[in-house]
Amino acid sequence: MYKLSNAPLLNAPQIDKRLESLAQELKACDFDIILSALTGSYIFTADLSRRIATPKLRIAFIKASSYGESDQPNANVHISGLEGLDIKGKRVLLIDDILDTGNTMYTLVKALADYSPASIKTCVLLNKESRRTVDYHADFVGFEIENKFVVGYGLDYANDYRTLPEIWTLEEV
Ligand code: 5GP
Ligand code: MG
């Protein structure tokens, strides 16, 4: 059994404030397209992209899911939604919710390279550096967090908690 921590790890004003500065940094990079990895990053992507708000910035979604022992570096990552993806010669910003072992982002970047983009930069809302098993670092990070399981603001546990506006730690009871 799990329950939410007593107070949020990151409340809505904290998230808002960080997204505002992150968006200013990203605006300066002049990306052509945001590629967002569903489902966990749906709220982050919406809130961030409307702050970047440049008229020619496109958006597309892919889905990444791990199977096997998902916290192992050699876990398999299944990617869908790549059909018809038009990123050739484009400056791509890949967005995910959280960087944990690094396996998902590493696999996604490798797969996207086959589509000949001009460049790929990555942005995650949360980074658990201590959990990294793959040598991979995001170019833009919202918040560094400890090794705790978090939910809310798009992130789930068994599909629950996604719609909470804050980020919470899940505790075992
Ligand atoms: P990685 O491949 O980097 O180990 O894991 C990335 C994926 O695992 C994320 O996209 C996310 O779906 C899931 N994940 C890792 N840590 C957490 C966490 O603390 N909370 C939630 N809800 N998902 C997590
Ligand atoms: Mg994910």
Tab-separated table of all heavy atoms in Angstrom, residues 38 40 64 96-97, ligand 2:
chain	number	residue	atom	x	y	z
A	38	LEU	N	5.070	10.626	-24.333
A	38	LEU	CA	3.865	10.378	-23.529
A	38	LEU	C	4.075	9.196	-22.600
A	38	LEU	O	4.927	8.366	-22.867
A	38	LEU	CB	2.684	10.092	-24.453
A	38	LEU	CG	2.258	11.282	-25.323
A	38	LEU	CD1	1.229	10.839	-26.350
A	38	LEU	CD2	1.702	12.409	-24.459
A	40	GLY	N	3.676	10.505	-19.335
A	40	GLY	CA	4.049	11.278	-18.140
A	40	GLY	C	4.351	12.742	-18.366
A	40	GLY	O	4.199	13.558	-17.461
A	64	ALA	N	6.907	6.123	-25.214
A	64	ALA	CA	7.992	5.220	-24.812
A	64	ALA	C	7.537	4.431	-23.605
A	64	ALA	O	7.052	4.995	-22.631
A	64	ALA	CB	9.225	6.029	-24.451
A	96	ASP	N	10.844	14.692	-21.780
A	96	ASP	CA	10.265	13.609	-20.979
A	96	ASP	C	10.017	14.110	-19.559
A	96	ASP	O	10.494	15.173	-19.173
A	96	ASP	CB	11.180	12.367	-20.985
A	96	ASP	CG	10.402	11.084	-20.667
A	96	ASP	OD1	9.166	11.137	-20.488
A	96	ASP	OD2	11.028	10.011	-20.586
A	97	ASP	N	9.265	13.316	-18.801
A	97	ASP	CA	8.928	13.739	-17.445
A	97	ASP	C	10.105	13.624	-16.490
A	97	ASP	O	10.418	14.552	-15.759
A	97	ASP	CB	7.711	12.952	-16.915
A	97	ASP	CG	7.850	11.436	-17.065
A	97	ASP	OD1	8.879	10.955	-17.585
A	97	ASP	OD2	6.908	10.718	-16.669
B	2	MG	MG	7.888	7.859	-19.072
